[in-house]
Amino acid sequence: MSEMTALRAHRRGGPEVLVVEQAPVPVPAVGEVLVAVHAAAITFDELTWDETWARNPAILSHEISGVVSEIASGVTEFKPGDAVYGLVDFDRDGGAAEFVAVPAAQLAAKPSTVSHAEAAALPLAGLTALQALVDQAAVRPGESVLVHGGAGGVGALTVQLAAIFGANVTATIRSDATELVRGFGAQRVIDVRAESFEDSGPYDVIVDSVGGEILPRSCAVLRPGGRLITLSAPPPEGVTATFFVVTPNRDQLAELAGLVDSGRLRVPIAETFPLAEGRQAFESGQRRNRRAGKTVLEVKPGS
């Protein structure tokens, strides 16, 4: 097969520039795997990233789950037919296509107890949450953790992981997802439409997946010596916070898969769309009161 169906953009813009069309099947280089994509998760902000537009045309959606189709030389970890999932570097073509070429180091065995759609919703959000809590904040059992955006794709997994690590978790939301987020392990859920989070705390760790004015306001409820982690953008001048960009990590992907397969970690999905409706999937990010979790493209529906 020399061609595949893909969701591509030929110029920078919003969802309106996305088209479903035929594209060449990528050829895996040394150390890479060709994955037959079953599902790919959407990050709506990807349309605003400079890395996205380093390629023309560009294929979006960098969280994938699928089955190994081919392996190139230098790959010993996988074989054709293996079910895998992972996070593709943002400056490469993503998985909104029937096939994607991925460095083997950016893949791990897919969680065996969930669908490809659920597995695809895990890599970026799960790795971001894990790296924020472990690599950046070094959260410890018994510490108080505030997660802003606890019903979002990243926030929902941050709440769950913080609870798994033994923290006392508070989450902010701007929706009707209070009971859902409590189910994720939050001991307190603050709906900021009706209640101010500044009346809570202080906290040892704050993870902000929302950004904007939330970040400087969070300083008031951070315990002296506490750690403030921001995920959306570098902190403004005068605000001391750690900003980082998530990176693929096979060992951490395997850790997340193990937590899913043990039943300790749930992967919420807001909505699924077939690949043919990729533009509509990206447009759905503009809806108000979206459900908690990630939006996923099902390249091979029902898998």
Side-chain angles (χ1 to χ4, degrees):
M1 182 184 297
S2 60
E3 287 198 324
M4 64 180 182
T5 303
L7 178 69
R8 299 203 295 183
H10 293 264
R11 60 184 175 87
R12 187 164 189 156
E16 74 282 353
V17 305
L18 300 175
V19 292
V20 177
E21 61 186 9
Q22 293 301 108
V25 173
V27 177
V30 174
E32 292 184 355
V33 172
L34 183 67
V35 177
V37 180
H38 286 227
I42 285 176
T43 299
F44 296 111
D45 285 347
E46 184 179 353
L47 291 168
T48 69
W49 298 344
D50 290 340
E51 294 92 337
T52 299
W53 307 107
R55 310 169 312 283
N56 186 10
I59 299 176
L60 285 77
S61 298
H62 287 73
E63 298 172 272
I64 62 142
S65 182
V67 174
V68 174
S69 178
E70 299 177 19
I71 59 172
S73 61
V75 176
T76 59
E77 307 93 324
F78 304 109
K79 65 183 184 302
D82 286 347
V84 295
Y85 87 121
L87 176 64
V88 185
D89 278 330
F90 303 127
D91 59 357
R92 297 175 61 100
D93 276 330
E98 292 179 296
F99 294 91
V100 62
V102 188
Q106 297 176 6
L107 297 169
K110 170 191 167 290
S112 61
T113 59
V114 297
S115 68
H116 282 284
E118 290 170 286
L122 179 60
L124 189 149
L127 287 174
T128 300
L130 190 61
Q131 291 171 14
L133 291 168
V134 175
D135 299 344
Q136 304 298 328
V139 68
R140 297 183 292 271
E143 288 193 309
S144 56
V145 175
L146 173 63
V147 179
H148 287 304
V154 174
L157 292 175
T158 305
V159 168
Q160 291 182 75
L161 288 172
I164 288 170
F165 297 151
N168 301 312
V169 185
T170 297
T172 65
I173 60 172
R174 189 182 290 273
S175 66
D176 298 326
T178 296
E179 292 307 314
L180 178 67
V181 176
R182 281 188 181 141
F184 291 154
Q187 295 173 325
R188 181 179 181 186
V189 179
I190 299 172
D191 185 345
V192 296
R193 298 174 301 181
E195 184 181 359
S196 172
F197 72 84
E198 284 100 334
D199 296 330
S200 67
Y203 299 98
D204 298 300
V205 174
I206 300 175
V207 179
D208 175 22
S209 67
V210 176
E213 44 84 26
I214 293 293
L215 185 64
R217 288 171 54 197
S218 296
C219 296
V221 294
L222 185 67
R223 194 184 306 278
R227 291 88 77 199
L228 177 55
I229 313 297
T230 177
L231 306 178
S232 58
E237 186 175 351
V239 175
T240 300
T242 298
F243 170 73
F244 75 101
V245 176
V246 63
T247 55
N249 184 302
R250 177 188 293 157
D251 290 341
Q252 290 179 331
L253 284 169
E255 180 179 355
L256 291 167
L259 289 170
V260 170
D261 285 339
S262 70
R264 302 180 70 193
L265 186 65
R266 286 188 285 157
V267 187
I269 293 179
E271 197 169 2
T272 62
F273 291 82
L275 180 61
E277 297 177 10
R279 179 187 294 184
Q280 295 93 316
F282 273 88
E283 289 172 343
S284 73
Q286 300 164 8
R287 297 177 189 163
R288 300 184 65 180
N289 297 321
R290 289 189 304 112
R291 291 175 56 191
K294 298 281 287 189
T295 297
V296 177
L297 294 173
E298 290 192 295
V299 180
K300 294 187 176 179
S303 60

